[in-house]
Amino acid sequence: MTTDSGGTVASRRIRSGGARFRVKPAPAGPVTDDHPKPRISDRMTKAALPSLLLLLAACAVKDSHIAHEAETRLMGMSQVDLESCLGVPDQHSSFGDMDILTYYATSTSSDSYSIPIIGGMSFGNGGYCHATFQLKDKHVTQILYSGEKNATGAPDAYCAPIVRTCMAHLQQMSAVSTITPAASPSSR
């Protein structure tokens, strides 16, 4: 065995069957594991990721459905009814018997979420939509959406906030119209 000038063992030679081996001593500091076990919170985060992504996708798909349904259900609506449920448009242009009403919506959330996975992954939410309603003789004839309006896997999802109130109003009105009062005995 040999020692360095400080008196510590630098290396030692072992003779075994005529072969010589050099064995290096173990490091003097604490032993560290090159592959630490994942912490419970890391495992829970990885397990919750699919659920979180599914939840976010479900919300965006629902909004996409609302925006697409509005493109057909709001056809023929009068300008007065449209402005009653949407409010005053952000832009209004008139061309003879044709009116163009434009509404703007911007996602109020600029959050981004970072989930620690191998290499990391982040995703954000946010976008904007311009919903343009074309009216002829004061009735809706066409609805067009433009802007950064698509969420991942959900086209036109950022347009839903514009039309959501009108769609809820139409649903409420159809529910009220299907409930008819029972005929009174005196009217028979």
Side-chain angles (χ1 to χ4, degrees):
M1 220 183 309
T2 61
T3 60
D4 63 6
S5 60
T8 60
V9 176
S11 67
R12 61 184 163 162
R13 294 178 189 207
I14 300 174
R15 189 171 202 151
S16 171
R20 289 188 175 183
F21 297 96
R22 252 199 206 298
V23 178
K24 292 188 177 184
V31 177
T32 59
D33 188 0
D34 289 338
H35 302 287
K37 293 181 181 178
R39 296 183 317 225
I40 291 175
S41 63
D42 291 342
R43 286 183 275 169
M44 288 174 50
T45 300
K46 288 178 185 178
L49 177 63
S51 299
L52 178 63
L53 292 176
L54 185 62
L55 179 64
L56 291 173
C59 292
V61 168
K62 182 178 179 184
D63 283 349
S64 177
H65 178 71
I66 290 170
H68 289 150
E69 189 179 4
E71 289 177 312
T72 56
R73 294 213 41 218
L74 299 181
M75 287 299 136
M77 182 179 266
S78 72
Q79 182 175 354
V80 171
D81 289 340
L82 184 70
E83 287 191 39
S84 293
C85 62
L86 290 183
V88 178
D90 295 305
Q91 284 186 322
H92 181 182
S93 301
S94 295
F95 305 96
D97 65 346
M98 191 75 71
D99 288 296
I100 308 293
L101 308 177
T102 305
Y103 293 85
Y104 301 134
T106 302
S107 175
T108 57
S109 177
S110 60
D111 299 336
S112 68
Y113 304 96
S114 181
I115 299 172
I117 304 178
I118 298 171
M121 178 180 141
S122 66
F123 54 93
N125 58 347
Y128 67 93
C129 176
H130 299 168
T132 303
F133 295 80
Q134 184 178 23
L135 290 81
K136 183 170 177 141
D137 296 323
K138 305 291 183 190
H139 287 84
V140 177
T141 58
Q142 187 176 23
I143 301 171
L144 299 170
Y145 300 130
S146 61
E148 283 292 325
K149 58 195 176 61
N150 301 333
T152 304
D156 301 329
Y158 292 119
C159 299
I162 296 173
V163 296
R164 187 176 282 124
T165 304
C166 274
M167 294 301 290
H169 176 69
L170 286 176
Q171 187 174 9
Q172 183 181 29
M173 294 308 292
S174 67
V176 168
S177 68
T178 59
I179 301 172
T180 56
S184 65
S186 62
S187 65
R188 291 185 193 177

